[in-house]
Amino acid sequence: MFDAFIDNYEHILHNVAEVSALTLEFIGVIIIVIGSIKALFHLGDGLIKHRAINIVVELGKTLALALEFKMGAEIIKTVIVHDLKELAVLGIVILIRALLAFLIHWEMKMEKKDEEDKTEETE
C-alpha cells in the first residue's frame, strides 16, 4: 500500500512540476512580448515628439524579469529530471540564463551611469 502511495505521489509531483514549469515559461514569454511592445511604443513616441528616449534600461528590466521567471521554470524542471544527461543540459541552460541576467543587469547599470553623466554635463 505504501508503494502505491509513493507511485501516486511521484506521478502527482511530476505533473505539478511540469504544469508549473510550463506556466512560468509562459509568463516569461508574455512579459517579454508585452515589455517589447511597450518599449517599441516609447521609442515611437520619442521619435514623433523629437525627444531622446533611452529604452535600453526599460527593456533590460523587462528581460531581466522574464529571465527570472524562466530560471524558476528551469529550477522546477530539476525535480522531474530522469538521468544525468538531462541534468547536465538543464544545468547548462540555467547557467546561460544566469549569465544573461547578469549581463542585462550590468548593461542597465552602465546605461544608468551614462544617463547620469550626460545629465551632469548639461548642468
Side-chain angles (χ1 to χ4, degrees), residues 14-27 69 72-73 76:
H14 183 80
N15 289 337
V16 168
E18 279 187 4
V19 169
S20 299
L22 287 173
T23 302
L24 289 174
E25 290 273 352
F26 180 72
I27 291 169
F69 276 95
I76 289 174

Side-chain angles (χ1 to χ4, degrees), residues 91-107:
I92 291 169
V93 169
I94 290 172
L95 183 65
I96 290 170
R97 288 190 176 171
L99 180 61
L100 285 172
F102 172 76
L103 289 173
I104 288 169
H105 284 291
W106 178 78
E107 184 176 348

Side-chain angles (χ1 to χ4, degrees), residues 8-11 19 23 25 42 44 46 52 54 71 77 95 102-104 115:
N8 286 334
Y9 187 74
E10 282 182 23
H11 182 69
V19 169
T23 302
E25 290 273 352
H42 283 138
N54 188 352
M71 283 199 315
K77 287 179 187 176
L95 183 65
F102 172 76
L103 289 173
I104 288 169
E115 285 180 9

Side-chain angles (χ1 to χ4, degrees), residues 52-72:
I53 300 289
N54 188 352
I55 62 168
V56 173
V57 173
E58 181 181 331
L59 190 56
K61 288 179 183 178
T62 298
L63 293 175
L65 178 62
L67 271 173
E68 294 298 328
F69 276 95
K70 293 178 104 15
M71 283 199 315

Side-chain angles (χ1 to χ4, degrees), residues 17 21 71-82 87 90-91 94:
M71 283 199 315
E74 297 300 332
I75 291 169
I76 289 174
K77 287 179 187 176
T78 61
V79 173
I80 55 177
V81 169
H82 298 290
L87 185 62
L90 198 55
I94 290 172

